[in-house]
Amino acid sequence: MQRRLRPLLLWVIGMALPLAADAEWRLSDICPAGFHSRDGGCYLQSFYSGYASLQESGVGGLKTGMPPLREGFTAQQIDLGRLLFFDPLLSVDGDMACSSCHQPARGFTDGLAGSVGRHGEAMHRSAPTLWNVGFLRELFWDARAKSLEEQMKGPLFSQEEMANTPAQLLKSLQDNANYEELFKQAFNDEPLSLGQVYTALAAFQSSLVSLGSRYDLYANGFHEVLTQPEIEGMNVFRSFVARCAECHTPPAFTNQQIAVIGTPEPEGAALDPGVQAITGDASQRGGFRVPTLRNIELTAPYMHSGRFKTLRETVAFYTGGRGHAVPKGEHLSLHWHIWEPDLTDHELDLLVAFLKTLTDQSFMPVLPAKVPSGLTPVATQILTH
């Protein structure tokens, strides 16, 4: 534990921001907690680094490694991305930040079935967690973005969300003396560019790593950290009856594939076509990217539309019978793992108990009390858990 606390303390000390309005802003040159410095970049250290990764599908063993991580960013780039993430300067009116929909207190989601848009309108999908997002190959529920840089352009420039334009975003940062200086620190005095903005945000998001849960301690040999009901819940999760682990593959707890499961939409809402709207493939109608289950306890409501309010409701859906919630007239190509496991109420309770062992925010980044724009940073409350 001392090894984990020391880098965290260094991270806190190194990222303390000056309080005086005219003080010099300096970026941290210390890698985030869980990362070590090598060849000028920050690289993850974890129990899983020494294990081979399941690159594609599979059930995953206790000694299975994580997928490749976006890493090697400098400490300064990560720190700059941290400030940008919470700064409403990135939106057209200075009233929304990335953290508006990805709030640390809610597992980097917003706790809503549909995120709230720029004008207060409800969006039709929930905000996915950003924990471990640097391990993902595809982003958005419909997997339409292939990189963090591609994904972030959606909310930054969508008229329903932050509604900025590339030109205005760049000008706002160039006109801010604090950011001019900070970008020079992070990018070796190169002229400030949009590419640097995207790199810094990707660097910060890739540093949001959650691999220190009680499950992780158990998986790496500390078996006493889980209770007997939690272990029984893990056994249900990994069984060939429930088959949860075949899509939510440990240790990432996602196989990063598309699955059509036939989850119901909110009352009165039409079926969301999901991936079909992107690919045109009818077999992917109603299909969505399999989400990670890490920190799932903190990220209610659940499913792409936030249809289920609790974990208990969510796990019960899977034992309701194949296709039981598919609207009349729809013929979906349901994933073959969706069947009728006929789990008992006790087994469902055990599953929920196990899922709560995946909670870990020990590497929560330092949340800024101030941001370089002088605006109020958004959603910086920490949920203590």
Side-chain angles (χ1 to χ4, degrees), residues 243-324:
R243 315 189 84 150
C244 308
E246 295 185 31
C247 286
H248 298 285
T249 310
F253 286 89
T254 172
N255 61 4
Q256 305 209 47
Q257 296 181 9
I258 303 301
V260 181
I261 65 173
T263 182
E265 299 290 344
E267 198 68 35
L271 180 78
D272 187 332
V275 177
Q276 183 198 28
I278 306 301
T279 65
D281 185 345
S283 71
Q284 294 180 320
R285 182 168 179 76
F288 297 93
R289 181 177 54 82
V290 175
T292 181
L293 299 182
R294 287 187 172 273
N295 288 313
I296 194 72
E297 181 183 11
L298 308 178
T299 59
Y302 303 107
M303 303 298 187
H304 67 277
S305 63
R307 181 64 170 81
F308 299 127
K309 294 181 180 179
T310 67
L311 280 174
R312 186 59 167 72
E313 287 181 73
T314 307
V315 297
F317 161 78
Y318 291 95
T319 199
R322 182 177 175 86
H324 71 277

Side-chain angles (χ1 to χ4, degrees), residues 317-381:
F317 161 78
Y318 291 95
T319 199
R322 182 177 175 86
H324 71 277
V326 176
K328 291 182 179 179
E330 289 284 355
H331 302 284
L332 303 184
S333 301
L334 295 177
H335 195 286
W336 67 283
H337 292 165
I338 302 300
W339 65 309
E340 299 183 20
D342 197 25
L343 300 178
T344 66
D345 286 343
H346 179 59
E347 288 171 323
L348 293 176
D349 290 339
L350 292 175
L351 270 177
V352 171
F354 168 67
L355 291 174
K356 291 181 179 181
T357 72
L358 302 177
T359 302
D360 166 48
Q361 296 197 110
S362 57
F363 287 166
M364 176 70 73
V366 175
L367 309 183
K370 288 188 173 185
V371 286
S373 68
L375 299 171
T376 302
V378 176
T380 55
Q381 301 85 6

Side-chain angles (χ1 to χ4, degrees), residues 9 44 135 161 184 293 299 320:
L9 290 172
L44 181 66
F135 292 101
E161 299 182 66
K184 289 180 181 178
L293 299 182
T299 59

Side-chain angles (χ1 to χ4, degrees), residues 31-112:
C31 292
F35 289 76
H36 72 283
S37 179
R38 187 178 79 234
D39 300 327
C42 297
Y43 293 85
L44 181 66
Q45 288 181 307
S46 81
F47 287 122
Y48 296 105
S49 298
Y51 306 146
S53 172
L54 290 174
Q55 293 291 322
E56 299 297 335
S57 62
V59 296
L62 294 180
K63 303 297 185 180
T64 300
M66 289 288 289
L69 173 68
R70 289 285 305 276
E71 55 187 347
F73 299 103
T74 68
Q76 291 87 346
Q77 290 168 351
I78 295 170
D79 198 15
L80 175 58
R82 178 183 68 97
L83 297 173
L84 290 168
F85 185 86
F86 293 100
D87 199 331
L89 181 71
L90 271 61
S91 65
V92 65
D93 294 325
D95 57 356
M96 292 183 73
C98 303
S99 55
S100 297
C101 293
H102 298 285
Q103 302 168 18
R106 295 182 170 89
F108 284 95
T109 68
D110 58 13
L112 300 173

Side-chain angles (χ1 to χ4, degrees), residues 203-221:
F204 170 68
Q205 292 179 71
S206 295
S207 76
L208 299 176
V209 172
S210 177
L211 294 175
S213 68
R214 289 192 298 120
Y215 163 80
D216 295 298
L217 293 175
Y218 179 92
N220 288 280

